[in-house]
Amino acid sequence: MKKKSIILIIVSLFAFLLVGIASCMLYYTFSLEPVDKDAKENIVFTVEQGEATSTVIAKLKKEGLIQSDFTMKIYTKLNPGTPQAGTYVLTKSMSAKEIFKMFIDGKVTRDTVWVTFVEGKRLTYIADVIAKNFSFNKDEVMATFDDEDYIKELIEKYDCLTDAILADKIYHPLEGYLFADTYEFNSDVTIKGIIEKMLDNTESKLSGYADAIEKSKYSIHEIMTLASIIELEGARSNDRHGVAGVFYNRLNAGWALGSDVTTYYAVNKDFSVDLTKSDLASCNGYNTRGTCVSGLPVGPIACPSYQSLKAALEPSKHDYYFFVADKNGKTYFNKTNQEHDATISRLKRENLWYEY
């Protein structure tokens, strides 16, 4: 009798286990079915470049395109693959398996192009990148960049743009305002569409500093200008906020900025060649080494990174007027030109001097 009871218990447990497994399998299968087999509404869904599968699944659940994010995660573990970036048109009548297969196969609804713009570059570089990735030539792109009527439309649309970008001595109104980043564009995008997507990004980056910009004694144009100088002068520095503090100290003291990078822009030279005495003495709206510009140049000289924008809005407070970075990026600050020269001499002796 006792033996029969044990057997009965074992059989019952086994049966219970089988029922449990069957229930889990049934739930798993059901959860992968469409949310609504009769749904016809199209839902545009975007998978971003480099987006994790778990993030994509969370977005699918939020859009109501799958029944269970938990089940979907199990399915993707059992059927590994990487969702391809792009824009897709989905419906709730599609099963989770169909959706994931579409992502793996990259069956996007329209062709897109991913383009990366590097910070610290001039507007002419941005035009080059656009021309290489789309069916526009560089002259056509630059013509749109400098179209005064279009620029006036943009000033009306974007808070970060003011009439200051149309000053007479400005070379290119949009210089420094098109935020360098990686973007996804439709393959049939227009030049204006590219410009406005980049400006949207600039506005987004600046939105967190609206109060600081409002309270600053410097205009948004001046802040963007300074950020572009910090980007180039502080590119090798481990302390951009300290570099920003030096420039603010010079401005507040009425000193010339004395920045070589502004001269390079002013005379349209790249950093592979040396500046001449005539370059340094040139009179224009940008050259802070000459005698024509006593404060900030007339406008930005490159597209600043977010780090440089942040430094321009959050400068370190100190009493230094000079800085230099060694070849490892360590930055040295000094109060006087004599101390500055001594620091440079020491770096050269110690083989720490940065060579272009």
Side-chain angles (χ1 to χ4, degrees):
M1 188 71 179
K2 189 174 182 181
K3 185 175 181 181
K4 289 183 179 180
S5 297
I6 294 173
I7 293 173
L8 183 61
I9 292 172
I10 292 173
V11 170
S12 298
L13 288 173
F14 184 69
F16 181 77
L17 182 61
L18 287 177
V19 170
I21 292 173
S23 298
C24 289
M25 291 180 66
L26 184 64
Y27 172 77
Y28 174 77
T29 303
F30 176 77
S31 296
L32 295 175
E33 290 295 305
V35 173
D36 182 357
K37 292 182 179 180
D38 298 322
K40 296 181 180 180
E41 180 185 358
N42 289 331
I43 298 174
V44 178
F45 187 90
T46 301
V47 177
E48 302 292 349
Q49 183 76 4
E51 198 165 37
T53 301
S54 59
T55 303
V56 174
I57 291 173
K59 287 167 57 178
L60 287 170
K61 178 62 177 175
K62 184 177 180 181
E63 291 289 338
L65 286 160
I66 56 175
Q67 295 194 48
S68 169
D69 50 352
F70 176 73
T71 304
M72 187 68 163
K73 287 177 182 178
I74 295 175
Y75 179 79
T76 57
K77 292 292 184 183
L78 296 173
N79 301 271
T82 302
Q84 296 187 39
T87 302
Y88 301 81
V89 172
L90 309 176
T91 69
K92 293 183 180 181
S93 62
M94 298 174 66
S95 71
K97 294 179 182 180
E98 290 173 321
I99 292 173
F100 192 66
K101 187 176 188 305
M102 182 179 283
F103 291 165
I104 300 303
D105 293 342
K107 291 183 178 180
V108 296
T109 60
R110 56 193 177 202
D111 293 332
T112 59
V113 179
W114 287 92
V115 183
T116 297
F117 300 95
V118 179
E119 62 262 12
K121 302 292 187 179
R122 300 174 187 172
L123 200 67
T124 50
Y125 153 83
I126 293 177
D128 276 329
V129 174
I130 292 173
K132 288 176 182 177
N133 285 277
F134 300 96
S135 58
F136 313 115
N137 61 58
K138 183 177 179 180
D139 290 340
E140 186 181 3
V141 177
M142 288 303 300
T144 307
F145 282 165
D146 294 338
D147 183 336
E148 186 171 338
D149 289 335
Y150 178 52
I151 297 301
K152 288 178 180 178
E153 292 177 15
L154 292 176
I155 290 172
E156 290 295 319
K157 183 176 180 180
Y158 292 96
D159 292 336
C160 66
L161 301 179
T162 67
D163 290 337
I165 67 174
L166 290 173
D168 290 339
K169 295 181 180 180
I170 291 278
Y171 291 173
H172 304 291
L174 292 177
E175 186 75 80
Y177 285 93
L178 302 183
F179 196 81
D181 207 340
T182 297
Y183 295 87
E184 180 188 19
F185 299 106
N186 294 333
S187 57
D188 60 352
V189 69
T190 63
I191 298 172
K192 291 182 178 181
I194 295 171
I195 291 171
E196 290 170 36
K197 189 162 188 174
M198 296 179 78
L199 285 173
D200 288 340
N201 198 5
T202 303
E203 292 266 89
S204 175
K205 293 295 186 294
L206 290 171
S207 62
Y209 289 97
D211 289 342
I213 294 170
E214 182 69 26
K215 294 175 182 177
S216 174
K217 72 176 185 178
Y218 293 96
S219 68
I220 181 62
H221 184 66
E222 290 172 324
I223 291 169
M224 295 297 289
T225 299
L226 183 56
S228 72
I229 298 173
I230 294 168
E231 179 63 35
L232 295 179
E233 289 282 12
R236 302 189 312 274
S237 171
N238 63 350
D239 188 358
R240 295 190 191 205
H241 295 267
V243 170
V246 167
F247 285 128
Y248 275 114
N249 286 346
R250 283 177 168 256
L251 289 170
N252 293 334
W255 288 25
L257 291 187
S259 170
D260 283 353
V261 296
T262 65
T263 310
Y264 273 103
Y265 184 83
V267 298
N268 194 29
K269 283 187 174 180
D270 61 43
F271 299 123
S272 64
V273 296
D274 292 329
L275 295 171
T276 65
K277 288 184 178 180
S278 61
D279 291 336
L280 295 171
S282 63
C283 190
N284 50 66
Y286 290 95
N287 181 22
T288 63
R289 287 291 305 272
T291 58
C292 292
V293 180
S294 58
L296 286 165
V298 68
I301 58 174
C303 48
S305 63
Y306 180 70
Q307 290 85 355
S308 292
L309 281 173
K310 188 175 180 181
L313 289 162
E314 297 177 349
S316 296
K317 297 187 182 302
H318 53 60
D319 54 358
Y320 298 118
Y321 290 82
F322 301 87
F323 70 90
V324 62
D326 66 21
K327 66 181 183 181
N328 297 317
K330 182 179 179 180
T331 307
Y332 304 81
F333 296 96
N334 295 115
K335 296 179 181 180
T336 67
N337 190 51
Q338 184 177 6
E339 293 173 350
H340 179 63
D341 288 342
T343 298
I344 292 174
S345 296
R346 178 170 62 82
L347 293 178
K348 290 180 177 179
R349 287 195 309 271
E350 296 176 359
N351 196 31
L352 290 172
W353 182 247
Y354 180 86
E355 298 287 349
Y356 285 99

